[in-house]
Amino acid sequence: MYAFSVNGKPVQFEGEDKKLLRFLRENLNLTGTKDGCSEGACGTCTVLVDGVKMKACAIPLSRLEGKAVTTIEGLSEREQAVYAHCFAEAGAVQCGYCTPGMIISAKSLLDKNPDPSLDDVKKAIKGNICRCTGYKKIEEAILMAATYFRENLSVPDHQEEPRLDKRYQRVDAKIKALGKGLYTDDFRISGLLHAKAVRSAHPRARVLCIDSSEAEKHPDFVRILTSKDVPHNIIGHIKQDWPVFIPVGEITRYTGDAICLVVGKDPETLEKLASLVTVSYEVLPPVLTMQEALKDDAPHLHEGGNVLSAEHIKRGDVDAAIKKAKHVITRTYTTPYTEHAFMEPECAVALPEGKDGVLVHTSGQSIYDEQHEISHMLQLPPEKVHCHSMLVGGGFGGKEDMSVQHHAALAAWILKQPVKVKLSRQESLTVHPKRHPMEMKLTTACDEQGRITAMRAIIDANTGAYASLGGPVLQRACTHASGPYNFQNFEVYGRAIYTNLVPAGAFRGFGVTQSCFAVEANLNLLADELGMDYYEIRRLNALKPGDTMPNGQIAGEDTGIVECLEAVKEAYYSSPRAGIACGFKNSGLGVGFPDTGRCILSVEQGKVHIRTSAACMGQGVATVCTQMLGQTCSLGADQIIVEDPDTRRTPDSGTSTASRQSVFTGEAVRRAALKLKDALQTNALSDLEGQEFSGEYTSITDPINSKKEHPVSHVAYSYSAQVVILDEQGRMEKVVAACDVGQVVNHQALTGQVEGGVVMGLGFGLTEDFPIKDGQLDVKYGTLGLLRATDVPPLEVKLVEGPGKHSIAYGVKGVGELTTIPTAPACQNAYYRYDGKFRTSLPLEETPYRKKKQ
């Protein structure tokens, strides 16, 4: 028997020794302590044991005899009020999955040191990773909480009304901060079964036999599901090429392919059950590089060959312009796989619903995409597949594909019982699509004054085993290979290539992070040839309103890259070790794809319900919608409720990708709100009980190779210029990021998005990698190279606007992806100025953050 106390209450446990994290969550239902990695690396499960900060995933119950455990639920009423307010007010909560662990680390510090320095705070949260915020707002929240406790300040019981251009606390901040918000793994239901996929041990092998006889002898065994149990075994986000399970006789395409699904009664024995399933293989030589995949004698990984998609974009006469140019630079650049490393591993809970239907609780980026793929797999009409989104603990593009949702739905549909499928952190690393590795050969030409005259790019993207979002990612890498610059001769060839590696798909920046690195680095070499500084060559070529962009679109009055450059000018010239880069990013799918945002406002019990399927992975779309509605109808915060995305209640607002939700769903909310506003002219809100007001916005754009003189590729673009300053030892001293994102909606959320995006970009540029050896992962969560609070330099955010605003959603433009894009090339330029070494691959080598590969 194990006896100790949890949050002041004595507990006794007579079962087998287990980790404290499992006991807290499964036995005591204290779900505020989160399971981020179960490896002691991420800090989401931080608790206090006799006042000492510890990772609950690493402590067995046998070490707790007579000790006192404190979790987020065990904070005093005063502590809860202060921490919730300070974290909400500072904007320190985005996806929220790391926040309870951060607060416990903060309590550990403040209980001992009531007046900490910023360095004290950074050190206190060094063991807690956040992928959303960039840590700055968390540090500010902890320092604010210290002041509240030290000076015994009263917590305000009100906040600003929801209007645009305000400091406004996120609508979900406080419940997330205190661990009261529910993520999918927090869902509790009686009779819940648990399932786990048995995955391929080889990147390419023929499955000869699946033997589950030993697993079936285990008392917790319920069922094994194989491809024979799946009504339609092939799914996929856009292109259907990804098997639900690899059938016997067929060939795996990467280490991680699902072979079968084992369903059991107890999550504690699930790993054992899966290990008892024996899969026999005929191991085949894998195709591990793009060069191998393109050989004439390479095996075809998919019907039709190893090229998923190809793009050719051409405007003007590039050959003639290059021949005439005064200076021409050609270089080849490479970028690696990188991992999203969102804090919440993938999880889904599915239940039978109605006659032959299924209800799936998920944490993905679009409930309607999930409904589409699951209904396709089960061969059911969409209305039979009911998808509901719980809170989402980060995504960054990594939760657009099916990972667990379809397996949970299949098992629940067949067994007519509720089933949970949850990936371990290592499974998550193995399974879901990553950022595309790319090889890019770029030629940039300019005249004697330094004006860009032409650019040609050849871009190969390793899309891995399956399509995922490989086609659209390649398109964005190609369309944005011009950079935010004004020239007219532009040609890009691009290919997305299948290999036997982990799939690559959507990732914050969506291909533009990769091509921007090449574009900006080449520009630095042109400046060298001209004897021009790196700021001036960008300022000279920057797009201005009315210019024709290299894709032919006329730059709108909201184009603000010049303003971004002006905002970082002083920072750039403040140090000889300052590096600069520019970037831009579209809002919305664009290039002719149908793209619609939708919203229903319904008046229910005297409140206005905002109903939209827009997924919030931390970016704060529910708060944006609240402020849009408040601005339009002059409503108060207490009059507005934002509902969870649910296919029965909320209309399809498209996936949370392409920095689109603030623009598209924001505009849909505005349009619905205008109808409500009209009704409120002659009615009190109570008089409108039961009424609904719908809003819809669809963008009209032209295809990628439109023959129009001035096509509209995207409805809006946002812009950024960033400066990375190094100290004399070559470590980061400061980062300044100027962003044109149009109309400011929420100051804390906006600057927090910028800070988080910049820190993710610093990781991409300096520390993060995803090594794969012979087709097998050679990495764990703790070795990904994720930056911690003590690694991040001071961040300064400058918000600017172009000369005008576009007309959609009050002029809002997307920020989620933009801020990650120019950071890595700014680092490259800084190190080039620091030591004269011109680096052409990421993460940058021979820096204090990463030594040269042996």
Side-chain angles (χ1 to χ4, degrees):
M1 178 186 294
Y2 307 108
F4 51 98
S5 72
V6 176
N7 298 330
K9 297 178 181 178
V11 297
Q12 293 182 338
F13 182 65
E14 294 187 357
E16 290 186 15
D17 197 7
K18 61 164 66 176
K19 292 293 193 284
L20 174 60
L21 176 61
R22 302 262 66 80
F23 180 74
L24 292 173
R25 293 184 57 80
E26 305 302 332
N27 295 79
L28 302 185
N29 198 28
L30 295 175
T31 58
T33 304
K34 303 302 181 188
D35 181 6
C37 72
S38 287
E39 298 172 4
C42 75
T44 60
C45 67
T46 303
V47 297
L48 300 180
V49 179
D50 285 348
V52 178
K53 179 175 60 174
M54 293 188 180
K55 309 285 179 62
C57 71
I59 312 169
L61 298 185
S62 55
R63 283 178 50 196
L64 294 173
E65 185 67 33
K67 296 185 182 297
V69 175
T70 303
T71 73
I72 190 71
E73 294 91 346
L75 297 184
S76 69
E77 188 175 328
R78 166 69 174 167
E79 287 173 323
Q80 289 188 31
V82 169
Y83 282 119
H85 170 74
C86 292
F87 271 69
E89 182 59 30
V93 183
Q94 289 189 29
C95 88
Y97 204 78
C98 76
T99 313
M102 289 285 184
I103 289 176
I104 293 296
S105 289
K107 174 177 166 58
S108 175
L109 170 67
L110 299 185
D111 283 353
K112 300 177 179 67
N113 180 1
D115 192 9
S117 67
L118 177 58
D119 282 346
D120 293 332
V121 172
K122 284 179 173 288
K123 290 173 185 174
I125 61 171
K126 182 180 180 180
N128 300 73
I129 291 174
C130 176
R131 283 294 268 178
C132 293
T133 67
Y135 302 106
K136 182 178 178 181
K137 298 243 180 314
I138 292 172
E139 294 156 6
E140 292 171 356
I142 295 172
L143 290 170
M144 188 190 305
T147 301
Y148 268 79
F149 289 130
R150 202 170 54 247
E151 300 180 8
N152 197 28
L153 301 178
S154 299
V155 175
D157 60 0
H158 67 279
Q159 66 158 320
E160 291 272 5
E161 294 296 0
R163 306 289 185 266
L164 299 185
D165 203 8
K166 291 284 188 184
R167 288 187 62 85
Y168 185 75
Q169 294 183 6
R170 286 177 60 122
V171 298
D172 55 3
K174 291 182 178 179
I175 63 164
K176 287 178 174 178
L178 298 177
K180 297 178 180 179
L182 296 182
Y183 300 81
T184 311
D185 190 33
D186 303 329
F187 192 80
R188 298 292 180 264
I189 187 170
S190 61
L192 184 65
L193 300 176
H194 301 266
K196 178 181 177 64
V198 175
R199 299 191 180 276
S200 173
H202 308 281
R204 186 166 178 262
R206 190 180 304 278
V207 178
L208 300 179
C209 176
I210 303 170
D211 181 359
S212 61
S213 57
E214 289 301 312
E216 292 171 23
K217 298 174 184 176
H218 196 285
D220 287 340
F221 177 85
V222 174
R223 179 75 181 265
I224 185 167
L225 301 175
T226 70
S227 61
K228 295 178 181 178
D229 299 296
V230 188
H232 189 86
N233 193 49
I234 304 294
I235 61 171
H237 195 61
I238 294 177
K239 180 181 174 68
Q240 279 70 54
D241 67 350
W242 201 329
V244 177
F245 303 117
I246 303 294
V248 171
E250 297 297 322
I251 297 173
T252 68
R253 295 184 179 88
Y254 81 114
T255 304
D257 260 328
I259 308 298
C260 60
L261 192 73
V262 181
V263 185
K265 300 174 184 176
D266 187 345
E268 297 293 332
T269 58
L270 196 55
E271 188 79 37
K272 178 64 175 178
L273 279 177
S275 72
L276 292 174
V277 177
T278 301
V279 182
S280 301
Y281 300 95
E282 175 194 354
V283 180
L284 303 171
V287 178
L288 299 179
T289 69
M290 292 187 286
Q291 291 74 19
E292 290 174 15
L294 294 173
K295 289 179 178 177
D296 291 340
D297 60 351
H300 283 192
L301 306 187
H302 290 273
E303 186 178 347
N306 293 337
V307 176
L308 163 65
S309 62
E311 299 291 347
H312 180 208
I313 304 168
K314 184 176 182 181
R315 293 187 70 86
D317 190 336
V318 174
D319 288 328
I322 290 175
K323 186 175 181 180
K324 183 181 177 183
K326 178 69 173 177
H327 300 284
V328 180
I329 291 292
T330 301
R331 291 290 187 278
T332 298
Y333 301 89
T334 60
T335 62
Y337 272 118
T338 47
E339 157 68 19
H340 304 76
F342 35 72
M343 302 309 299
E344 175 206 25
E346 297 89 336
C347 185
V349 175
L351 303 82
E353 184 177 72
K355 184 178 180 182
D356 295 326
V358 64
L359 165 61
V360 190
H361 297 278
T362 72
S363 59
Q365 292 182 219
S366 171
I367 53 170
Y368 280 93
D369 285 351
E370 292 167 341
Q371 182 191 56
H372 171 75
E373 292 201 52
I374 292 169
S375 63
H376 184 64
M377 173 188 72
L378 297 178
Q379 295 291 281
L380 293 174
E383 58 269 20
K384 287 282 189 180
V385 178
H386 176 189
C387 291
H388 171 264
S389 180
M390 307 292 282
L391 293 178
V392 183
F396 315 111
K399 292 180 179 174
E400 288 199 42
D401 299 86
M402 296 302 100
S403 56
V404 291
Q405 306 95 315
H406 57 317
H407 288 163
L410 176 71
W413 184 70
I414 288 175
L415 296 172
K416 306 304 180 191
Q417 286 184 260
V419 179
K420 176 189 283 189
V421 182
K422 175 190 173 186
L423 297 188
S424 70
R425 177 55 70 176
Q426 200 60 30
E427 280 183 292
S428 177
L429 294 178
T430 301
V431 171
H432 75 250
K434 315 303 175 192
R435 191 193 301 278
H436 280 78
M438 290 191 188
E439 296 180 7
M440 300 161 285
K441 183 178 181 181
L442 200 74
T443 298
T444 316
C446 71
D447 62 19
E448 56 274 11
Q449 281 80 43
R451 294 187 181 278
I452 301 170
T453 55
M455 186 180 292
R456 174 178 284 127
I458 300 172
I459 300 174
D460 283 340
N462 188 339
T463 208
Y466 299 107
S468 181
L469 274 293
V473 168
L474 175 69
Q475 280 192 338
R476 291 298 76 71
C478 292
T479 57
H480 286 59
S482 63
Y485 302 116
N486 177 22
F487 63 96
Q488 307 309 314
N489 301 298
F490 180 54
E491 186 169 24
V492 185
Y493 298 89
R495 294 178 295 187
I497 300 165
Y498 286 121
T499 63
N500 286 128
L501 296 178
V502 60
F507 195 138
R508 189 179 205 167
F510 209 79
V512 186
T513 38
Q514 294 95 310
S515 58
C516 179
F517 171 60
V519 169
E520 293 294 300
N522 250 24
L523 206 53
N524 296 334
L525 293 180
L526 276 182
D528 288 346
E529 293 234 344
L530 290 154
M532 196 176 207
D533 79 36
Y534 305 120
Y535 178 91
E536 285 300 328
I537 196 167
R538 289 169 170 81
R539 180 65 178 80
L540 176 68
N541 289 285
L543 282 167
K544 298 179 290 298
D547 285 348
T548 299
M549 304 170 72
N551 63 12
Q553 183 167 341
I554 300 296
E557 283 300 309
D558 59 310
T559 302
I561 185 60
V562 169
E563 286 74 14
C564 289
L565 279 165
E566 292 294 334
V568 300
K569 184 176 183 178
E570 182 179 348
Y572 175 76
Y573 286 113
S574 71
S575 170
R577 299 177 300 277
I580 189 169
C582 297
F584 75 131
K585 184 66 175 71
N586 56 289
S587 293
L589 305 180
V591 293
F593 284 98
D595 199 2
T596 299
R598 299 181 180 89
C599 172
I600 295 171
L601 301 178
S602 55
V603 182
E604 303 177 35
Q605 296 182 330
K607 296 185 184 289
V608 180
H609 287 236
I610 301 176
R611 292 157 53 188
T612 169
S613 73
C616 177
M617 308 95 68
Q619 82 277 33
V621 65
T623 306
V624 168
C625 292
T626 299
Q627 290 180 256
M628 287 276 182
L629 173 58
Q631 176 74 24
T632 308
C633 292
S634 300
L635 295 176
D638 61 347
Q639 296 175 290
I640 300 172
I641 293 174
V642 184
E643 294 195 13
D644 293 342
D646 188 297
T647 53
R648 293 281 173 85
R649 286 281 297 175
T650 59
D652 187 357
S653 296
T655 186
S656 289
T657 189
S659 295
R660 60 179 297 281
Q661 290 293 6
S662 290
V663 177
F664 283 72
T665 299
E667 174 65 4
V669 171
R670 188 185 73 87
R671 293 184 178 191
L674 287 172
K675 296 177 182 177
L676 173 60
K677 182 180 180 180
D678 284 345
L680 289 171
Q681 300 294 324
T682 53
N683 296 276
L685 187 61
S686 58
D687 297 332
L688 302 176
E689 185 68 27
Q691 294 194 34
E692 295 183 352
F693 304 85
S694 298
E696 182 173 303
Y697 166 67
T698 300
S699 68
I700 306 298
T701 56
D702 297 306
I704 193 168
N705 276 309
S706 170
K707 301 304 180 185
K708 289 182 179 179
E709 181 181 4
H710 296 299
V712 175
S713 293
H714 297 281
V715 295
Y717 292 95
S718 51
Y719 298 87
S720 181
Q722 296 184 15
V723 169
V724 172
I725 303 171
L726 306 178
D727 65 18
E728 292 181 355
Q729 286 73 47
R731 299 193 70 84
M732 291 182 288
E733 186 175 281
K734 187 177 183 180
V735 179
V736 181
C739 298
D740 161 36
V741 292
Q743 171 66 51
V744 174
V745 177
N746 183 299
H747 278 265
Q748 300 106 305
L750 178 52
T751 52
Q753 281 279 291
V754 176
E755 291 156 3
V758 166
V759 171
M760 191 171 281
L762 292 173
F764 181 52
L766 296 173
T767 61
E768 293 182 31
D769 202 355
F770 193 84
I772 301 174
K773 187 176 182 180
D774 299 326
Q776 306 284 347
L777 298 195
D778 190 24
V779 69
K780 291 187 175 182
Y781 195 81
T783 63
L784 288 169
L786 306 178
L787 294 172
R788 295 178 182 268
T790 49
D791 302 316
V792 176
L795 307 174
E796 182 179 357
V797 175
K798 294 176 176 284
L799 302 178
V800 304
E801 288 187 9
K805 290 181 181 177
H806 66 73
S807 59
I808 307 162
Y810 292 109
V812 169
K813 298 191 284 190
V815 67
E817 296 181 281
L818 169 74
T819 53
T820 296
I821 291 167
T823 318
C827 292
Q828 191 264 9
N829 185 218
Y831 279 101
Y832 185 36
R833 296 188 74 192
Y834 175 72
D835 61 16
K837 297 176 183 177
F838 190 81
R839 297 160 173 86
T840 58
S841 63
L842 295 178
L844 302 173
E845 292 182 359
E846 297 184 76
T847 75
Y849 301 93
R850 188 177 180 87
K851 304 305 179 185
K852 187 172 184 178
K853 291 179 183 176
Q854 300 299 315

